[in-house]
Amino acid sequence: MAKSKRIREPGIVVRPLGRFGGLDNLHLMLIILVVLLVLLLLVVSYGKPILVMVGNNTTGNTTALHTAAQIKAVAEHVLASYATVNSSLSLIPFISNISSMHVSYLPDSGAWYVQLMAKNLVNNVAFSLAFQINDTNTSKVTPLLQTALPSQISNNSVVSSGVVALAGKYACTNTSPTQVYWFIDPYDVGAVHSLLNASNIERMYGSNVNLTVKIVIGSATQRIGSQVGLVNALYLSKYAFCASQQSNFGKFASALDAAYSGQYMSQNSLASIAEGAGLNSTQLDSCITSSSSVLNTQALLAQYYNITFTPAVVVNCHYLALPQTAREALCYTNSTLC
């Protein structure tokens, strides 16, 4: 019999939703995810008891068509597919602990029950996720967390806590230093603040990591552009990118985070922040003047990696992470860094 477990409702740091303006997405997504987890708890607590056989292939007189290992692989693809869902559920790939995954065959329903733990990125409070996967047709998946799956199950896989392997993308040919692409639409909620994470990683790993800020001119910047003109809206992108090329990037990121309120930032304000951070003005001005073509190239790179949200991090040209899990991705791709 499958035993239900009491789970704690987590609070969780989530990726930004720019359309909510100045409201912190932490509180928005916390409300949504708590409701979903309450529903999950009700499903698990009041569902009918079912006979479960833990094993690889067989139970009683019923033979499963798939092994536990095969079902785990299916579950990893399902988890990774949530990354493109436009809701708080997009966090699932990055908070799931696949090493805790347990699969059980359900002979009465001809399906597999998959359960794993996830954790709050702030306080590490654990909670449970569960799926039911049809043994005859593994594309039929019933998540016990919500009522619908992602519209399409991708070939990406969750390979470690906070790390998604991107299908069809390969490790960088130059493995040293390890490449880190830090994708942001600067006007997305949380994007500017994530630059602190980026500068911390640079400081922590030094010459072992080559971190580059990549700009995505997404809906958040376009929304600001509709108010003040796209040319003006792009100054925040240009300053963020060009400042990241200099050694005083950490000071700039800190000053920008302190000054940024989620509203439009003028070129004059950005120039004052750059001056206060001690950036080389000649190098900065030259970079800003020539940055338009660079930003266009970065847009193509974001499209190649199918970046659907920011901030997002691609490590070693092959692994997708959040700013909060970038270190996990670095450790996964190069264990000597950790």
Side-chain angles (χ1 to χ4, degrees):
M1 177 182 297
K3 297 181 179 179
S4 64
K5 297 182 178 180
R6 291 190 178 275
I7 59 178
R8 296 184 63 182
E9 299 170 4
I12 187 166
V13 171
V14 302
R15 72 175 177 85
L17 289 179
R19 64 178 180 274
F20 290 102
L23 186 58
D24 193 336
N25 60 330
L26 166 62
H27 301 92
L28 293 170
M29 292 307 131
L30 172 60
I31 294 170
I32 296 171
L33 197 53
V34 164
V35 171
L36 293 172
L37 289 172
V38 169
L39 294 176
L40 170 61
L41 179 59
L42 292 175
V43 170
V44 175
S45 299
Y46 296 104
K48 294 181 179 180
I50 51 178
L51 177 64
V52 177
M53 177 68 180
V54 179
N56 287 338
N57 286 39
T58 62
T59 176
N61 296 323
T62 303
T63 302
L65 300 177
H66 295 84
T67 67
Q70 290 171 330
I71 295 301
K72 286 183 178 181
V74 172
E76 289 168 2
H77 290 304
V78 172
L79 291 168
S81 299
Y82 278 99
T84 58
V85 174
N86 188 24
S87 76
S88 63
L89 295 174
S90 61
L91 284 174
I92 287 177
F94 307 104
I95 63 174
S96 300
N97 180 6
I98 62 169
S99 64
S100 70
M101 189 182 298
H102 177 75
V103 299
S104 306
Y105 185 60
L106 314 177
D108 289 348
S109 60
W112 292 82
Y113 179 76
V114 179
Q115 185 179 35
L116 69 155
M117 302 304 294
K119 71 174 182 178
N120 183 316
L121 292 174
V122 175
N123 56 19
N124 291 327
V125 173
F127 59 97
S128 177
L129 300 175
F131 298 87
Q132 185 170 299
I133 299 176
N134 186 280
D135 184 50
T136 303
N137 182 357
T138 56
S139 64
K140 293 182 178 180
V141 181
T142 303
L144 301 182
L145 175 66
Q146 53 136 23
T147 58
L149 285 170
S151 59
Q152 184 176 358
I153 303 301
S154 73
N155 291 324
N156 298 340
S157 297
V158 176
V159 293
S160 183
S161 295
V163 186
V164 173
L166 299 172
K169 309 298 186 285
Y170 303 97
C172 303
T173 54
N174 183 9
T175 58
S176 182
T178 302
Q179 301 297 312
V180 178
Y181 302 150
W182 205 274
F183 290 96
I184 62 167
D185 178 341
Y187 280 108
D188 265 336
V189 178
V192 165
H193 185 70
S194 80
L195 295 178
L196 295 178
N197 300 71
S199 62
N200 287 338
I201 287 205
E202 285 189 323
R203 183 170 58 254
M204 183 179 301
Y205 295 104
S207 61
N208 292 316
V209 165
N210 180 25
L211 187 149
T212 54
V213 173
K214 308 294 184 183
I215 300 300
V216 178
I217 305 173
S219 59
T221 290
Q222 291 174 22
R223 184 183 66 252
I224 298 297
S226 68
Q227 301 168 6
V228 301
L230 186 58
V231 172
N232 292 323
L234 285 177
Y235 277 117
L236 179 56
S237 295
K238 293 180 177 183
Y239 271 84
F241 166 69
C242 292
S244 71
Q245 309 298 304
Q246 298 195 27
S247 59
N248 279 353
F249 172 56
K251 291 182 179 180
F252 175 84
S254 180
L256 179 63
D257 182 60
Y260 183 69
S261 63
Q263 305 300 317
Y264 165 67
M265 294 200 72
S266 69
Q267 183 182 13
N268 288 338
S269 297
L270 292 165
S272 296
I273 293 172
E275 182 179 1
L279 297 185
N280 182 303
S281 59
T282 301
Q283 181 182 345
L284 181 66
D285 292 342
S286 176
C287 176
I288 290 173
T289 301
S290 61
S291 61
S292 295
S293 60
V294 176
L295 298 189
N296 290 335
T297 302
Q298 292 179 354
L300 294 176
L301 186 66
Q303 184 178 7
Y304 172 74
Y305 284 112
N306 193 29
I307 300 299
T308 58
F309 64 89
T310 74
V313 184
V314 173
V315 174
N316 198 21
C317 305
H318 185 47
Y319 299 105
L320 179 67
L322 298 176
Q324 299 94 325
T325 64
R327 286 194 63 196
E328 283 84 349
L330 282 165
C331 294
Y332 185 83
T333 192
N334 185 354
S335 60
T336 63
L337 294 175
C338 303

